[in-house]
Amino acid sequence: MNRKKLMTALKVVVSIALVYFIFTKINLQEIGAVLKRADPTYLVLALLLFTVSKIISAVRVNLYFHRIGIPLTQTANLKLAFLGMFYNLFFPGGIGGDAYKGYLLKKNFDIKTKRVVSVLVLDRLSGLLLLFIYACILALLLKNDTLTPFNWLFVTAIVLSVTVFWFLNKKFFPYVLPIFWKSFGFSALVQLAQLVSVMMILKALGIAATTWAYLFIFLISSIVAVLPMTIGGIGSREVTFFYGASLLMLDENTSVTISMIFFLMTALVSLFGVYFHFKKIALKVVEPA
């Protein structure tokens, strides 16, 4: 078994183990009761906002593509984004979404592989940076007895993380530095749309209080889900929601329900990519003015 297959197998095992662990800790009947009470109108709004976040995310990565000489149209880029989501979630043992996008771009454009990989990584890091910043902001808003003594650290971390990321761009990727703040702004919009999406899930479940706490857990779970330990964040997100709820004295069953709904939305939107799996994407470019 080669290294790639071994890593995939390990991720599958970890995901299954974490999901099993969570199911031994929660009350499935109570989760079912919570879901039955959910308002479908707010769930549809949550789904639409999540979809909007993915569209904005596609616009952000296209900024990077244009900087390295790949002037994709927004339509072609969006199709590529949905295909990447589909591959990431439904073909974990095969070629990853980002890897396949990189392959297609390298095949169709005369561009260095290193630059394609670099901008795809920078795009991911830009999103991760905003997750971290929003998490620090919500930590300040929570006024939690455990977190309050570290308020100075959260403020420092926000300033330091932005500064370090800017200098990394300047030193190692100067060709994308002109779009640093623009991509930063798009990343802020992406994560904001997802936060509002989760707020709609909370509204659907009838949760009016402790909103900041649930949003804080969601951001931490999103950061954990990025770590390459599981398949598509399955299991790791739910465990984070469970223990986050426990630490912040929230209902664990409701917390895991929020995580499950968010994953189902992700899977549903990712399914759009199945169409582009069977239909070849024409990588059209913006015509010069």
Side-chain angles (χ1 to χ4, degrees):
M1 183 181 291
N2 60 37
R3 185 174 180 274
K4 185 178 180 180
K5 289 183 178 179
L6 178 61
M7 291 302 297
T8 300
L10 285 173
K11 288 181 182 180
V12 171
V13 170
V14 171
S15 290
I16 293 173
L18 290 176
V19 170
Y20 174 77
F21 172 75
I22 283 297
F23 280 161
T24 65
K25 294 289 185 179
I26 58 176
N27 186 324
L28 291 176
Q29 288 185 332
E30 191 170 325
I31 286 180
V34 171
L35 287 171
K36 285 180 181 178
R37 297 196 302 268
D39 186 329
T41 302
Y42 283 114
L43 290 180
V44 170
L45 286 173
L47 181 63
L48 289 174
L49 282 161
F50 178 76
T51 305
V52 167
S53 78
K54 290 303 177 181
I55 293 172
I56 299 171
S57 178
V59 174
R60 179 187 66 201
V61 76
N62 210 19
L63 286 175
Y64 286 107
F65 290 158
H66 283 218
R67 288 300 304 175
I68 61 171
I70 305 176
L72 286 180
T73 62
Q74 293 297 353
T75 301
N77 179 61
L78 187 59
K79 292 175 182 178
L80 203 57
F82 280 122
L83 180 63
M85 286 181 64
F86 176 67
Y87 277 15
N88 279 334
L89 198 59
F90 293 100
F91 289 109
I95 188 165
D98 282 347
Y100 187 66
K101 284 193 289 185
Y103 164 76
L104 282 180
L105 294 172
K106 184 71 178 67
K107 181 181 177 182
N108 287 272
F109 298 94
D110 183 20
I111 194 75
K112 293 181 179 178
T113 302
K114 184 178 178 181
R115 288 210 166 186
V116 175
V117 172
S118 295
V119 296
L120 288 171
V121 171
L122 283 172
D123 178 68
R124 287 296 186 101
L125 289 176
S126 180
L128 192 60
L129 172 65
L130 265 296
L131 282 172
F132 177 74
I133 290 172
Y134 278 137
C136 289
I137 292 171
L138 283 174
L140 294 170
L141 295 174
L142 278 175
K143 301 187 187 305
N144 179 272
D145 290 341
T146 303
L147 298 176
T148 298
F150 300 100
N151 280 354
W152 66 272
L153 186 59
F154 297 131
V155 174
T156 304
I158 291 172
V159 177
L160 191 60
S161 62
V162 176
T163 304
V164 169
F165 192 52
W166 186 87
F167 274 108
L168 284 175
N169 275 258
K170 183 180 180 182
K171 182 172 179 59
F172 298 106
F173 315 101
Y175 48 91
V176 297
L177 191 62
I179 61 164
F180 178 87
W181 293 111
K182 198 169 183 179
S183 65
F184 183 92
F186 275 116
S187 293
L189 289 175
V190 169
Q191 305 308 339
L192 182 61
Q194 292 202 8
L195 281 173
V196 179
S197 175
V198 176
M199 288 178 71
M200 292 300 102
I201 295 174
L202 295 176
K203 292 280 285 184
L205 300 179
I207 301 170
T210 63
T211 299
W212 293 140
Y214 280 116
L215 292 179
F216 176 72
I217 295 171
F218 164 72
L219 290 169
I220 298 301
S221 74
S222 296
I223 293 172
V224 172
V226 172
L227 302 176
M229 302 182 300
T230 60
I231 299 298
I234 299 171
S236 61
R237 190 186 291 275
E238 285 70 29
V239 167
T240 306
F241 262 92
F242 180 84
Y243 281 107
S246 179
L247 289 171
L248 297 177
M249 293 179 289
L250 302 171
D251 183 72
E252 290 96 339
N253 293 306
T254 300
S255 191
V256 172
T257 303
I258 295 167
S259 175
M260 290 170 62
I261 292 173
F262 189 81
F263 171 75
L264 289 173
M265 289 196 315
T266 304
L268 188 59
V269 174
S270 297
L271 277 173
F272 282 116
V274 72
Y275 176 77
F276 304 113
H277 172 69
F278 294 105
K279 181 178 174 61
K280 185 178 179 181
I281 299 174
L283 297 180
K284 296 181 180 179
V285 297
V286 178
E287 295 295 333

